Amino acid sequence: MTRPLPQSVLFCCDHNAVRSPMAEGIMKKFFGLQTYVQSVGVRNDLEIDGFAISVCQEIGVELDRHRSRSFDELELMGEALSSFDLVVALSPASQHRALELTRFFHLTVEYWPIMDPTGQGETRAAKLAAYRQTRDQIVSQLKADWGAVRA
C-alpha cells in the first residue's frame, strides 16, 4: 500500500554528491511538480560524482548541473529545514544530523538504507554496476512509498 505524496521532501546523505542528488533527481523525474524536492549533505566537501551522473543519465535524469550543499548552506540560502514535510536520510550520519536539527520541529525524518557505491568495484564496469544498484534501490523505494510514477 502506498502513501500520499508529501508536498516537500529533503533527501540527505554524507556529502550531497551521490545518493541524495540521485534521489532528488529521480524523484523530480517521477513526480515533476507534484512535490518540492531538494537535497543536502552533512558536509559539502565533494562535487557531484561522475558515476552518479552517468547512471542517472541512463534513465533520463540529468544531474550534471547539481551543486552540492550542506544542511548549513540550505539554511543560509533561505530554505528553512522546518518548511519540509519529510526528511529522508540515506546514510546513518545524515540521519543523526537530521534528527539533531529537527528535534524542535514537528518533522518526520525517515531512514532509507541505500547502499553507498563509492569505493565499490575495481574496474569502471564494476563501479558502474554498484552505482546502478544504488540508483535502482532509490527507484524501488520511491515506487514502494509513493506508487506509480510517470516516466
Side-chain angles (χ1 to χ4, degrees):
M1 185 69 185
T2 59
R3 57 190 174 152
L5 192 65
Q7 288 187 345
S8 58
V9 178
L10 179 68
F11 289 102
C12 56
C13 65
D14 294 345
H15 304 278
N16 194 221
V18 180
R19 290 171 286 180
S20 58
M22 289 172 80
E24 175 188 354
I26 294 167
M27 186 156 183
K28 283 179 177 175
K29 177 173 176 59
F30 285 177
F31 299 105
L33 299 175
Q34 297 177 56
T35 190
Y36 179 72
V37 186
Q38 290 294 311
S39 66
V40 296
V42 174
R43 293 172 302 285
N44 170 19
D45 54 356
L46 299 174
E47 290 300 314
I48 183 76
D49 186 288
F51 288 109
I53 292 171
S54 294
V55 300
C56 283
Q57 279 177 335
E58 294 172 354
I59 62 167
V61 173
E62 295 299 324
L63 294 182
D64 52 345
R65 289 192 308 269
H66 176 80
R67 296 293 164 252
S68 298
R69 62 184 178 166
S70 66
F71 279 105
D72 295 338
E73 288 167 311
L74 177 79
E75 296 278 341
L76 289 173
M77 295 169 81
E79 289 203 68
L81 195 58
S82 60
S83 66
F84 289 92
D85 296 324
L86 175 64
V87 176
V88 177
L90 304 172
S91 70
S94 66
Q95 178 189 27
H96 177 77
R97 183 77 173 127
L99 288 170
E100 183 181 286
L101 290 170
T102 62
R103 67 183 179 273
F104 300 115
F105 305 124
H106 180 70
L107 184 64
T108 302
V109 176
E110 292 182 3
Y111 174 64
W112 292 0
I114 303 296
M115 179 186 86
D116 181 359
T118 58
Q120 303 281 326
E122 297 298 316
T123 65
R124 177 172 171 76
K127 288 179 186 298
L128 284 169
Y131 278 76
R132 286 183 188 113
Q133 184 179 349
T134 295
R135 176 200 65 201
D136 295 345
Q137 283 182 330
I138 292 166
V139 168
S140 294
Q141 187 74 50
L142 288 170
K143 288 180 178 180
D145 280 22
W146 296 302
V149 295
R150 65 177 183 89

